[in-house]
Amino acid sequence: MALLLVLFLANILTTSKGSISQPDHVHHQIHLLRPQSGAGGNLVPGLSCLSWRLGVETNNIIGWKTVPQVCEGYVGHYMLGHQYLKDSRAVVNEALLYAQSLELDRDGIDVWIFDIDETTLSNLPYYAKHGFGVEPFNATLFNKWVMEGAAPALPESLRLYRKLLSLGIKAVFITGRSEDQRSVTAANLKKVGYHTWEKLVLKEPSYSGKPSVIYKSNERKKVEKNGYRIVGNIGDQWSDLLGTNTGNRTFKLPDPMYYIS
């Protein structure tokens, strides 16, 4: 397991420099993480794990609590392999094309909304250790991981962030992390390359028990009421992108590990 975490972090460092390739032996060793039965197994007749993931990413399969047991090996291999990085790059490439096409006034009020977990910061070291979503979410263990401040950047999201800044578009982070995690989250962001932002919005206790789509819609509305234009919005959950005040265009990053309503 320790070897796999080292390989993942090495891969993140490599991709952050512009390359998503890795040696074949690294690619094959990813299979050692979990049993591979999910790669070709069926959930129901005619539905493979690949089809399940497609349904998840297109928001046709909603409200699910855990990854199907038979698909844990498939999801683990996808997240730690080439394809997750390639899919993320494809999304970011489209976001960059869009951003570069904008005729900006350079008046300082254009912003881009970023989610944090599995969007700007990656928790793959945590999931590689604790499993890929087949068990119910353990908030205690996850919060302990967050407080370590050790999450690496998603390389493609960091590439988007840097380009947006160069275009004069400011970053606004809106995360489901709680307000008491502000300092460690800010330090983690800066440590991996997100060195500046216009706003960092964390979840207040008043949103406890409310769907994320309501929380994020309300916070985006506040951003616009403060005079900003939301020109873009990127996240790994559909609840990051649906609701109100979503911005001029949204971009969905892949994440078959969990679902947040």
Side-chain angles (χ1 to χ4, degrees), residues 220-232:
R220 290 191 300 262
K221 185 176 182 179
K222 291 178 184 179
V223 169
E224 292 189 327
K225 280 190 171 182
N226 286 332
Y228 294 99
R229 284 190 298 261
I230 301 175
V231 297

Side-chain angles (χ1 to χ4, degrees), residues 56-256:
V56 165
E57 299 296 3
T58 54
N59 208 33
N60 290 320
I61 298 176
I62 63 175
W64 52 281
K65 302 298 183 183
T66 59
V67 172
Q69 183 75 42
V70 71
C71 294
E72 184 185 17
Y74 169 82
V75 170
H77 177 64
Y78 170 76
M79 293 301 298
L80 294 178
H82 291 293
Q83 196 59 49
Y84 172 59
L85 294 171
K86 289 180 178 179
D87 291 349
S88 298
R89 171 163 286 191
V91 174
V92 166
N93 283 346
E94 288 301 314
L96 286 171
L97 286 174
Y98 161 71
Q100 291 167 335
S101 74
L102 296 173
E103 296 183 3
L104 301 172
D105 292 333
R106 295 273 183 168
D107 52 11
I109 63 173
D110 291 314
V111 299
W112 194 287
I113 305 294
F114 286 88
D115 173 52
I116 291 184
D117 293 302
E118 273 58 70
T119 297
T120 47
L121 297 178
S122 172
N123 298 302
L124 278 179
Y126 169 84
Y127 288 105
K129 180 178 180 180
H130 294 286
F132 284 90
V134 297
E135 299 292 337
F137 178 70
N138 189 315
T140 300
L141 286 177
F142 183 77
N143 289 336
K144 182 179 179 180
W145 154 255
V146 168
M147 295 307 291
E148 292 178 14
L154 268 76
E156 294 303 325
S157 297
L158 185 58
R159 180 168 67 99
L160 173 63
Y161 165 86
R162 288 169 172 165
K163 183 60 179 179
L164 292 175
L165 292 188
S166 74
L167 294 173
I169 301 172
K170 298 176 180 179
V172 171
F173 296 104
I174 303 180
T175 175
R177 294 185 178 194
S178 57
E179 183 62 39
D180 61 350
Q181 295 172 331
R182 175 176 294 276
S183 60
V184 71
T185 299
N188 198 162
L189 287 168
K190 290 181 178 180
K191 180 171 67 175
V192 299
Y194 302 99
H195 54 82
T196 185
W197 51 79
E198 197 69 4
K199 290 180 179 293
L200 172 58
V201 181
L202 294 97
K203 199 171 187 178
E204 297 280 359
S206 59
Y207 285 112
S208 178
K210 295 181 181 179
S212 181
V213 69
I214 293 176
Y215 156 61
K216 296 212 167 183
S217 293
N218 287 346
E219 293 303 321
R220 290 191 300 262
K221 185 176 182 179
K222 291 178 184 179
V223 169
E224 292 189 327
K225 280 190 171 182
N226 286 332
Y228 294 99
R229 284 190 298 261
I230 301 175
V231 297
N233 182 3
I234 190 166
D236 67 295
Q237 298 290 315
W238 280 102
S239 54
D240 299 330
L241 310 174
L242 298 176
T244 65
N245 307 86
T246 55
N248 293 348
R249 187 166 172 186
T250 63
F251 297 88
K252 169 71 169 65
L253 286 166
D255 182 4

